[in-house]
Amino acid sequence: MVKEDNEKKAVLIKALGEVEQLLRGEYFAGEKPGFVDLCVWPWFERLPAVELFRGVPFTPTDYPKLTEWSEKMRVHPRIRDSIFSTELMLEFFQTRNPDVGL
């Protein structure tokens, strides 16, 4: 199981590096959030919980553009009003109980 977890972490870390390279501007498709940003946001919304739950680093040192983008998305009014907390996501990951409030 540990080997499998390490392989999954390696795949995610590699993928994050690749996505980091795709982010060439302030947002994926320009100077303001667009369709692509909104489509990929839910995956990034979960990353702080994944970092705590699985130990996959998501830091400005490792991914400067993605973490900056993530923070901008997190405070955008349309995102901010519908976001789930890291604590709630973490509780879901730990229990797999859909009744935690998601």
Side-chain angles (χ1 to χ4, degrees), residues 26-70:
E26 193 169 339
Y27 295 95
F28 282 98
E31 299 302 314
K32 60 183 181 176
F35 183 74
V36 174
D37 301 285
L38 296 173
C39 286
V40 299
W41 168 250
W43 297 100
F44 286 89
E45 178 184 5
R46 294 170 178 89
L47 277 179
V50 170
E51 184 175 18
L52 294 170
F53 186 60
R54 293 288 186 203
V56 175
F58 185 63
T59 66
T61 302
D62 298 311
Y63 311 103
K65 294 187 284 185
L66 280 176
T67 53
E68 183 178 342
W69 170 85
S70 181

Side-chain angles (χ1 to χ4, degrees), residues 67-79:
T67 53
E68 183 178 342
W69 170 85
S70 181
E71 287 306 313
K72 287 178 187 174
M73 291 295 288
R74 193 170 291 282
V75 299
H76 188 279
R78 304 228 176 179
I79 300 290

